[in-house]
Amino acid sequence: MRQAQRSSSPVRGTGPAPPRAPQAARPVRYPESDGKPMSETPVHWHAMVDFASPLHGFLKDRPDAYVGSNMLMYYEEGNNKRRVSPDVFVAFGVPKLPERRVWLVWEEGKGPDFVLEVTSRSTRREDEVGKKALYERLEVREYWQFDPLGEYLDPRLRGYVLGADGEYREVALEERDGALCHDSLLGVTLRLEGERLRLFDPKRGEYLLTHAEERQARQAVEAERDRALEAQRIAEARMAELERRLRGE
């Protein structure tokens, strides 16, 4: 009787497993929101908007200037935990368009040139220590803190300018016409007038208007136009009446 021949084919389940194909790395997602409220209080929100909105108008004709507000900024590629959200920032030397949803420093090629944080007692340590060190590292040329409620800053405005050595120097505010001022790299003068921070255009000799002030100015112009039209209507009616009387009608 012949012996059965042993199969030369490998037995299933024995021997080393074949190497797995390398898996492609998942792309890192950079969220547009961190789930935190936009501002501490309505006062802080208005302070932020009243600073950002005039800058949009002031820089609207510069295609190389971008104004951002409360936008997440990521500064380490591949790590979506390394982020900051400046209340207001301006970057020069970058295209204004297209509009961004987040700011990726490595794609833009730089961080902002100017940052304003609307600060409060609860964000004091973060604004004075953590963000200050980060903005210095990102080579933000001007970093400002505005405390609209006067909770800890006296005066309510404090600024830093980046020196040639890459370190911040605190700005010495100048007193002009009853306000504390600084001529910013933005091309405007920051003016702390009592409790309010305003922007002044030294070339035109006028303040940059907030949305509310622009609306009030338009309403004033419209009211003056209506008054002029009404005065013209009355004058024309009187003239027509006088002509009728002269004709003996």
Side-chain angles (χ1 to χ4, degrees):
M1 182 175 179
R2 291 191 309 173
Q3 293 182 344
Q5 294 182 351
R6 294 182 179 180
S7 172
S8 61
S9 61
V11 178
R12 184 175 298 176
T14 64
R20 293 183 178 180
Q23 293 184 347
R26 292 184 178 180
V28 177
R29 179 176 172 268
Y30 300 98
E32 301 165 18
S33 172
D34 56 6
K36 297 179 181 179
M38 182 177 292
S39 57
E40 190 81 6
T41 68
V43 173
H44 292 80
W45 183 84
H46 281 293
M48 180 176 66
V49 172
D50 287 349
F51 194 90
S53 63
L55 285 179
H56 280 284
F58 180 71
L59 297 171
K60 64 182 177 61
D61 295 326
R62 284 197 58 170
D64 66 335
Y66 186 86
V67 181
S69 182
N70 202 243
M71 174 188 293
L72 282 175
M73 180 177 295
Y74 295 89
Y75 51 88
E76 183 178 305
E77 186 174 5
N79 188 345
N80 59 15
K81 302 299 182 184
R82 299 291 187 179
R83 63 193 185 191
V84 67
S85 180
D87 287 334
V88 183
F89 73 90
V90 179
F92 294 112
V94 297
K96 185 186 298 292
L97 297 174
E99 186 58 77
R100 283 76 160 171
R101 302 171 75 94
V102 296
W103 188 274
L104 306 177
V105 171
W106 59 93
E107 288 191 0
E108 302 289 348
K110 61 175 297 183
D113 293 284
F114 176 100
V115 167
L116 173 80
E117 294 289 357
V118 182
T119 189
S120 66
R121 186 184 292 113
S122 64
T123 63
R124 174 178 183 173
R125 179 170 179 79
E126 181 183 8
D127 293 335
E128 288 196 329
V129 181
K131 287 186 177 181
K132 180 172 176 282
L134 174 61
Y135 293 147
E136 187 178 72
R137 181 158 63 89
L138 292 177
E139 299 182 343
V140 177
R141 292 191 285 160
E142 280 189 27
Y143 170 44
W144 290 88
Q145 296 166 281
F146 175 51
D147 181 6
L149 295 178
E151 293 183 316
Y152 74 94
L153 284 183
D154 185 18
R156 302 183 183 208
L157 182 66
R158 176 184 295 167
Y160 300 91
V161 174
L162 198 67
D165 58 358
E167 296 184 359
Y168 275 140
R169 303 284 188 274
E170 187 169 348
V171 172
L173 298 173
E174 300 179 20
E175 186 170 353
R176 305 176 196 166
D177 305 321
L180 294 176
C181 305
H182 176 74
D183 296 326
S184 170
L185 63 83
L186 299 176
V188 297
T189 300
L190 277 61
R191 291 178 57 91
L192 180 63
E193 301 178 353
E195 301 176 357
R196 188 178 180 191
L197 177 59
R198 303 201 68 186
L199 297 173
F200 184 81
D201 183 350
K203 290 185 177 180
R204 297 186 177 182
E206 60 187 23
Y207 286 98
L208 304 188
L209 301 182
T210 65
H211 282 318
E213 290 170 336
E214 287 181 347
R215 183 173 62 253
Q216 291 172 357
R218 286 195 301 270
Q219 290 173 345
V221 169
E222 291 171 358
E224 182 60 30
R225 182 194 61 195
D226 292 342
R227 284 193 293 269
L229 290 174
E230 179 63 14
Q232 181 181 355
R233 186 190 67 78
I234 293 173
E236 290 175 350
R238 288 176 177 174
M239 182 62 70
E241 178 63 22
L242 179 60
E243 289 176 351
R244 284 196 297 270
R245 289 181 180 180
L246 291 176
R247 291 195 300 267
E249 296 179 1

